[in-house]
Amino acid sequence: MMHADVEEVLLSGEEVQARVVELGAQLAADYEGREPVLVSVLKGSIIFLADLVRAMPIPLSIDLMEVSSYGTSTESSGQVRILKDLSTSIEGREVIVVEDIIDTGLTLNYLLRYLHDKGPASIRICCLLDKPARRLAPIEIDYRGFTIADRFVIGYGLDYGERYRNLPYIGVLRPSVYGAAPPA
Ligand code: IMP
């Protein structure tokens, strides 16, 4: 059943699950014997992370960070405040950054520099959704679930005002929910 606030289902739960299983298999093959640490950013990415690691039958660990952008979301400055840091050392580790969606790329750009300074053996990026239309910082994405158009999406971890994260599919939010201007 489609939520009343959803204008269109962009990716069904089945489509998302199938792609996540493919990404997991690809990552498991690439990282066999390397015991990677998957670093995810709260909160939106945890649903993706939870499904992704269950599709990766290799030794791995996970760690979580939480960040907040300074200023409003409409004028993202790229300045990021770390609300929750890594709980383990990533020095010498093979890091996979797991992201729900990459939009301007500013948050991830900051995060990558921060992680690089901690001396990992490697860093690669795995994102479920790539929204390249609004990219401001160049980001090399190593593993990508889907490329989507510049529309505000919710579900499968993605929120609007902390709601809709529990929808099992990716949907386009009905404009009447957010008023005149789209968020983010
Ligand atoms: P950026 O790449 O620094 O612009 O920010 C990425 C973050 O913005 C994501 O992790 C999401 O939290 C949020 N975001 C960007 N686009 C959307 C969207 O369409 N729906 C929900 N959140 C979004």
Side-chain angles (χ1 to χ4, degrees):
M1 260 303 268
M2 199 165 91
H3 192 290
D5 294 348
V6 172
E7 181 176 69
E8 180 194 335
V9 174
L10 206 58
L11 298 161
S12 72
E14 291 77 15
E15 283 176 284
V16 172
Q17 288 302 329
R19 187 70 185 118
V20 171
V21 165
E22 281 178 5
L23 287 173
Q26 198 184 339
L27 283 164
D30 292 355
Y31 283 87
E32 174 96 65
R34 294 165 66 187
E35 194 151 353
V37 52
L38 282 73
V39 173
S40 219
V41 183
L42 294 168
K43 304 169 204 169
S45 301
I46 60 164
I47 310 280
F48 176 38
L49 177 73
D51 284 341
L52 187 65
V53 292
R54 282 178 287 180
M56 294 177 65
I58 60 166
L60 58 79
S61 55
I62 62 179
D63 207 338
L64 297 167
M65 293 185 69
E66 185 169 12
V67 301
S68 86
S69 300
Y70 286 110
T72 64
S73 56
T74 40
E75 39 164 290
S76 186
S77 59
Q79 286 296 314
V80 173
R81 193 157 50 104
I82 291 171
L83 302 177
K84 186 220 169 292
D85 206 341
L86 297 168
S87 62
T88 51
S89 169
I90 59 165
E91 196 179 343
R93 298 289 306 273
E94 312 269 4
V95 173
I96 304 168
V97 177
V98 176
E99 268 281 25
D100 49 1
I101 186 166
I102 303 177
D103 185 18
T104 65
L106 292 173
T107 311
L108 191 55
N109 191 49
Y110 173 90
L111 204 66
L112 287 174
R113 277 184 277 132
Y114 179 81
L115 294 173
H116 265 296
D117 288 346
K118 303 215 171 276
S122 69
I123 303 184
R124 282 190 187 165
I125 297 163
C126 174
C127 78
L128 181 67
L129 303 175
D130 180 13
K131 203 156 65 163
R134 303 191 339 132
R135 193 67 35 83
L136 294 174
I139 303 275
E140 214 180 289
I141 302 171
D142 303 284
Y143 303 89
R144 173 192 286 103
F146 303 92
T147 301
I148 64 167
D150 184 15
R151 302 175 82 182
F152 193 81
V153 291
I154 50 168
Y156 198 72
L158 293 160
D159 75 307
Y160 173 62
E162 295 298 329
R163 298 178 70 192
Y164 313 110
R165 294 193 197 275
N166 54 327
L167 296 178
Y169 52 84
I170 308 271
V172 178
L173 187 61
R174 209 176 274 286
S176 59
V177 177
Y178 54 72

